[in-house]
């Protein structure tokens, strides 16, 4: 990142700020059509001039210019011909046998006990829709336990570690390495949250934080938006920024040195996420693919979710966003199965081999094509509509030599926390209810009873990951017992 200070002719650390923007830097900015960043130079104090120079100096101007040009040019171009995902690439819930599930569960636990799985959390987003000033993972969605999203995930990792240790009769204990991607907007608060909660029972050295990059926010004509007269507005470079962040922080080497072969990757804002799911891992290993995704069935044709498609005849699987999918294709039905032709929704639950991550970390950057997201951006003129440049985690799929999809039930594994309470969908309230209802079903299936003073549809119980990961092993705790909802069931 960044051209060298010497090459720019800037000395930022010492002496008075120059009276005019350094000529050489100005020329370079002119080349890229960004010289307006110095428009308010004359009004800046010496200290602000230094800040501005440092800020511009920290930008890799030519790389950013390439990204802006490529992304603006390709924006809105129609998606290449697409086809439905072949049935052979999908394991659907209905066709999965009990024998397969058990086999995958055991295979997954074995690989976990051998230290081959790492968990990779995408947690660098700004969570603007949720409107909390803390990172999303710190958010308490109002479960009886009051646990944050981070805590729920940490305890599920602890639970899988116990299951793997137990299944393999290991003498020592199994540790799953957890890599947490933050951004400059979430890094400090995330680290402090983990420290103050003693890593939720995990060992501090099995948790690794690393930061993703940021990139300037731009106007529709590709010019940087100024956050203040001496600072360019920047945003994280999307959850697909994880590939270059893993590379630049040398964490792919770190994973290899620890013997990690598989990486389970997910977004922070799913209250039902089955982190380090042994069944999914076993399926992935069994299929021998480079990449896999858990998918849910699209609820209705116009649902605003990205779906997996095959690009061209025999091409790779990839995700097409709802805005890019033609209306007639979105509602087309497969006459044989009666399902939507494009029915497999992406919910940001992925598994990759480490080899594939290495390959992608090099390939994606070369493409220089980022998605353009029109968002409200804080600027010197107040909030203004502008463009954020983002790569997406699923941009990797077209590079995968082989991909498999694994259908899961929405009500079991997908409780998104996107919007603030009061919005119509994907709120902390709706996510809490999904957790309580699922866990209530587990308890009843294990022979427990529920009483409740509010209607059951608006409440339920929470099962601590200390007791169960996915509804297993609950009989000894629940059979014949009555629980008053809402409550947490724990040891
Ligand atoms: P979203 O696309 O929902 O974005 O992220 P967000 O930042 O959480 O929320 P809004 O759009 O500002 O309201 C999906 C997942 O990708 C992560 C988020 O932290 C979340 O886990 N993400 C998103 C990143 O890690 N980095 C990013 O640059 C963007």
């Amino acid at each position: 990142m960044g051209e060298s200070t010497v090459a720019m002719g800037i000395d930022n650390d010492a002496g008075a700020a120059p009276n005019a923007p350094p000529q050489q830097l100005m020329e370079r900015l002119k080349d890229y059509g960004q010289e307006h960043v110095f428009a308010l130079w004359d009004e800046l104090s010496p200290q602000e001039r230094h800040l501005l120079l440092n800020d511009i100096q920290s930008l890799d101007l030519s790389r950013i210019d390439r990204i802006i040009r490529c992304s603006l040019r390709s924006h809105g171009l129609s998606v290449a011909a697409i086809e439905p995902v072949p049935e052979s690439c999908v394991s659907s819930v209905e066709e999965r046998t009990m024998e397969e599930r058990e086999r995958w569960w055991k295979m997954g636990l074995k690989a976990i006990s051998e230290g081959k799985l790492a968990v990779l959390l995408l947690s660098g987003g700004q969570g603007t829709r949720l409107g909390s000033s803390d990172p999303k993972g710190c958010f308490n969605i109002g479960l009886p336990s009051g646990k944050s999203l981070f805590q729920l995930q940490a305890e599920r990792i602890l639970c899988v570690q116990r299951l793997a240790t137990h299944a393999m009769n290991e003498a020592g204990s199994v540790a799953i390495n957890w890599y947490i991607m933050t951004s400059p907007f979430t890094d400090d608060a995330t680290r402090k949250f983990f420290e103050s909660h003693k890593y939720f029972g995990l060992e501090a050295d099995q948790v690794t934080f690393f930061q993703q990059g940021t990139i300037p926010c731009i106007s529709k004509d590709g010019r940087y938006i100024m956050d203040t007269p001496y600072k360019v507005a920047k945003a994280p470079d999307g959850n697909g920024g994880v590939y270059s962040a893993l590379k630049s922080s040398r964490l792919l080497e770190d994973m290899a040195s620890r013997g990690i072969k598989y990486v389970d990757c997910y977004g922070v804002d799913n209250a039902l996420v089955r982190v380090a799911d042994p069944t999914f891992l076993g399926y992935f290993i069994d299929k021998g693919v480079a990449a896999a995704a858990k998918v849910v069935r699209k609820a209705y044709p116009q649902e605003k979710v990205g779906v997996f498609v095959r690009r061209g005849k025999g091409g790779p699987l990839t995700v097409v966003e709802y805005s890019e999918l033609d209306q007639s294709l979105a509602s087309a039905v497969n006459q044989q199965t009666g399902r939507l032709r494009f029915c497999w929704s992406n919910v940001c639950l992925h598994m990759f081999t480490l080899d594939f991550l290495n390959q992608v970390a090099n390939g994606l950057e070369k493409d220089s094509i980022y998605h353009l997201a029109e968002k409200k951006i804080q600027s010197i003129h107040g909030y203004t509509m502008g463009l954020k440049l983002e790569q997406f985690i699923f941009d990797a799929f077209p590079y995968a030599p082989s991909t498999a999809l694994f259908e899961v039930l929405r009500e079991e594994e997908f409780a998104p926390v996107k919007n603030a309470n009061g919005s119509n969908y994907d709120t902390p309230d709706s996510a809490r209810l999904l957790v309580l209802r699922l866990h209530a079903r587990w308890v009843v299936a294990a022979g427990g009873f529920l009483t409740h003073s509010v209607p059951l549809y608006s409440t339920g119980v929470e099962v601590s990951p200390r007791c169960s990961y996915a509804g297993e092993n609950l009989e000894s705790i629940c059979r014949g017992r009555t629980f008053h909802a809402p409550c947490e069931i724990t040891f």
Side-chain angles (χ1 to χ4, degrees):
M1 285 276 286
E3 287 94 329
S4 83
T5 309
V6 177
M8 300 281 222
I10 308 165
D11 182 356
N12 295 306
D13 297 328
N19 288 329
Q23 190 59 32
Q24 220 180 334
L25 180 56
M26 190 59 155
E27 291 306 320
R28 281 184 64 79
L29 284 163
K30 275 187 186 157
D31 287 347
Y32 301 127
Q34 305 292 359
E35 68 278 14
H36 65 284
V37 299
F38 287 132
L40 298 175
W41 179 268
D42 290 342
E43 294 162 32
L44 300 182
S45 67
Q47 197 195 6
E48 290 168 340
R49 288 178 182 176
H50 271 309
L51 289 172
L52 179 57
L53 289 175
N54 281 337
D55 194 39
I56 304 297
Q57 187 203 355
S58 73
L59 300 174
D60 186 339
L61 296 174
S62 63
R63 172 179 169 265
I64 296 168
D65 178 65
R66 192 175 65 241
I67 290 171
I68 292 174
R69 279 186 295 107
C70 291
S71 308
L72 284 174
R73 204 183 309 131
S74 64
H75 185 60
L77 291 183
S78 59
V79 191
I82 56 167
E83 301 212 334
V85 173
E87 301 275 321
S88 59
C89 295
V90 190
S91 162
S92 67
V93 171
E94 64 205 14
E95 74 194 16
R96 212 169 285 154
T97 63
M98 189 58 88
E99 186 272 331
E100 278 176 324
R101 282 176 218 218
E102 280 173 13
R103 190 159 52 87
W104 290 334
W105 173 262
K106 284 185 190 152
M107 281 176 81
L109 284 180
K110 181 165 182 295
I112 290 166
S113 72
E114 291 164 352
K116 292 183 177 161
L117 180 74
V119 167
L120 174 58
L121 167 59
L122 308 170
S123 185
Q126 290 171 291
T128 35
R129 286 169 288 169
L130 187 60
S132 163
S133 54
D134 293 326
K136 251 192 208 176
C138 307
F139 204 83
N140 162 6
I141 61 168
L143 287 167
S145 66
K147 287 173 190 168
S148 61
L149 293 169
F150 282 141
Q151 183 166 0
L152 292 173
Q153 293 161 25
E155 291 190 357
R156 287 175 195 154
I157 291 176
L158 282 165
C159 186
V160 175
Q161 290 183 171
R162 275 195 305 275
L163 288 165
T165 306
H166 185 71
M168 297 303 129
N169 288 321
E170 294 282 328
S173 58
V174 172
I176 298 173
N177 287 288
W178 195 10
Y179 294 85
I180 300 181
M181 182 173 79
T182 62
S183 67
F185 303 92
T186 61
D187 190 71
D188 197 37
T190 302
R191 287 172 195 260
K192 287 195 174 125
F193 196 73
F194 272 76
E195 274 161 30
S196 65
H197 289 85
K198 301 200 165 45
Y199 295 84
F200 309 104
L202 293 160
E203 298 297 326
D205 66 4
Q206 72 184 105
V207 183
T208 304
F209 300 97
F210 66 105
Q211 278 196 54
Q212 70 177 107
T214 60
I215 192 156
C217 303
I218 55 171
S219 55
K220 282 190 176 147
D221 57 2
R223 282 149 54 96
Y224 300 168
I225 292 174
M226 296 303 288
D227 182 359
T228 68
Y230 47 89
K231 189 168 146 220
V232 175
K234 300 182 201 79
D237 53 4
N239 57 22
V242 69
Y243 301 112
S244 50
L246 281 172
K247 191 175 167 210
S248 59
S249 50
R250 307 186 65 86
L251 286 176
L252 296 172
E253 286 99 315
D254 179 79
M255 289 180 187
S257 72
R258 293 176 193 242
I260 289 161
K261 300 259 182 279
Y262 313 110
V263 181
D264 175 33
C265 177
Y266 68 102
V268 71
D269 46 9
N270 176 1
L272 279 175
V273 61
R274 286 193 188 167
V275 191
D277 180 359
T279 310
F280 186 38
L281 176 59
Y283 167 75
F284 181 76
I285 296 171
D286 200 25
K287 282 272 158 188
V289 286
K294 285 186 175 178
V295 289
V296 300
R297 225 164 263 231
K298 200 173 181 188
Y300 52 93
Q302 269 63 51
E303 193 185 10
K304 293 186 171 176
V305 288
V307 288
F308 275 90
V309 304
R310 171 176 252 181
R311 193 174 284 165
K313 277 231 176 311
L317 300 198
T318 185
V319 175
V320 169
E321 291 189 83
Y322 64 88
S323 52
E324 294 169 348
L325 190 63
D326 185 88
Q327 287 293 307
S328 59
L329 285 181
S331 45
V333 171
N334 177 330
Q335 296 304 335
Q336 271 173 356
T337 62
R339 290 203 294 256
L340 291 173
R341 288 183 75 216
F342 298 95
C343 68
W344 301 121
S345 305
N346 173 40
V347 283
C348 197
L349 299 169
H350 305 313
M351 189 76 73
F352 302 115
T353 60
L354 183 58
D355 286 346
F356 177 58
L357 282 183
N358 268 300
Q359 186 192 326
V360 170
N362 298 316
L364 262 188
E365 174 66 17
K366 283 195 211 107
D367 267 9
S368 296
I369 296 178
Y370 285 50
H371 304 261
L372 299 173
E374 194 166 3
K375 300 244 169 113
K376 259 201 254 169
I377 290 156
Q378 166 66 43
S379 80
I380 41 180
H381 308 297
Y383 278 104
T384 176
M385 288 313 282
L387 299 172
K388 286 187 181 176
L389 292 151
E390 296 188 341
Q391 288 190 311
F392 294 154
I393 186 80
F394 59 71
D395 290 340
F397 281 95
Y399 293 85
S402 50
T403 300
L405 304 184
F406 188 81
E407 186 196 5
V408 296
L409 296 177
R410 206 179 266 259
E411 60 274 24
E412 291 187 350
E413 303 204 26
F414 189 48
V417 182
K418 296 283 181 193
N419 304 304
N421 280 332
S423 309
N424 290 335
Y425 57 93
D426 297 349
T427 61
D429 280 354
S430 64
R432 181 180 64 249
L433 260 185
L434 285 164
V435 175
L436 293 178
R437 285 184 192 153
L438 173 67
H439 292 192
R441 290 198 295 279
W442 290 353
V443 169
V444 171
F449 300 94
L450 299 183
T451 60
H452 40 93
S453 35
V454 290
L456 190 56
Y457 64 78
S458 65
T459 187
V461 289
E462 177 188 358
V463 174
S464 164
R466 285 168 183 272
C467 306
S468 182
Y469 178 71
E472 78 292 338
N473 297 336
L474 284 174
E475 284 77 7
S476 60
I477 304 167
C478 298
R479 185 158 299 282
R481 280 183 67 190
T482 301
F483 302 94
H484 187 76
C487 68
E488 186 196 21
I489 299 173
T490 186
F491 290 136

